Each structure stands twice: as structure tokens, then as C-alpha cells.
């Protein structure tokens, strides 16, 4: 059975704060608008992360990402 890893990413669009939390405690931070979100998701995609879910409320979007464990 394939083992999955999970990560999270959030964007507070009014402050432009983007943060991804990866397994092992690694955190990626960025600032920006829509283009910066696309850049961060593309960066994570290069490491085989895929969006599993996304939720939103007010000024906040939160993604759960998954990939097959190495």
C-alpha cells in the first residue's frame, strides 16, 4: 500500500503572507498576490505535491497537499 505524506499551505491575501509547512518541520514563506500563490504551488508541484483540499474564509485560503512518500 502506498504511503502518503501531507503538507499545508495558507495565504492571508490582505497581508500577502504565504506559508507552506512541510513534513520534518520545514517551512517555506513568501509574500505576494495571486502570482506568488501560483509560484509557490508550482514550486511544491516540482516536488510532487498535489492539492488534496482547499478551504476559504474571509481573507484566508488553506490548502492540504499530499504526495507519495519517498
Amino acid at each position: 500500500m502506498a504511503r502518503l505524506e501531507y503538507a499545508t499551505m495558507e495565504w492571508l491575501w490582505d497581508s500577502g503572507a504565504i506559508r507552506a509547512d512541510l513534513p520534518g518541520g520545514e517551512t517555506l514563506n513568501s509574500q505576494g498576490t495571486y502570482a506568488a500563490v501560483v509560484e509557490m504551488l508550482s514550486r511544491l508541484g516540482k516536488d510532487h505535491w498535489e492539492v488534496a483540499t482547499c478551504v476559504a474564509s474571509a481573507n484566508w485560503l488553506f490548502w492540504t497537499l499530499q504526495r507519495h512518500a519517498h
Side-chain angles (χ1 to χ4, degrees), residues 5 7-9 20 22 28 36-52 63-68 70:
E5 294 181 299
T8 61
M9 184 176 131
L22 306 173
L28 304 174
V37 170
V38 171
E39 185 177 314
M40 178 71 81
L41 286 170
S42 294
R43 176 179 176 184
L44 292 166
K46 288 178 184 175
D47 288 330
H48 308 286
W49 289 104
E50 296 180 359
V51 171
W63 294 265
T64 301
L65 301 109
Q66 68 182 20
R67 72 176 179 185
H68 292 282
H70 295 40

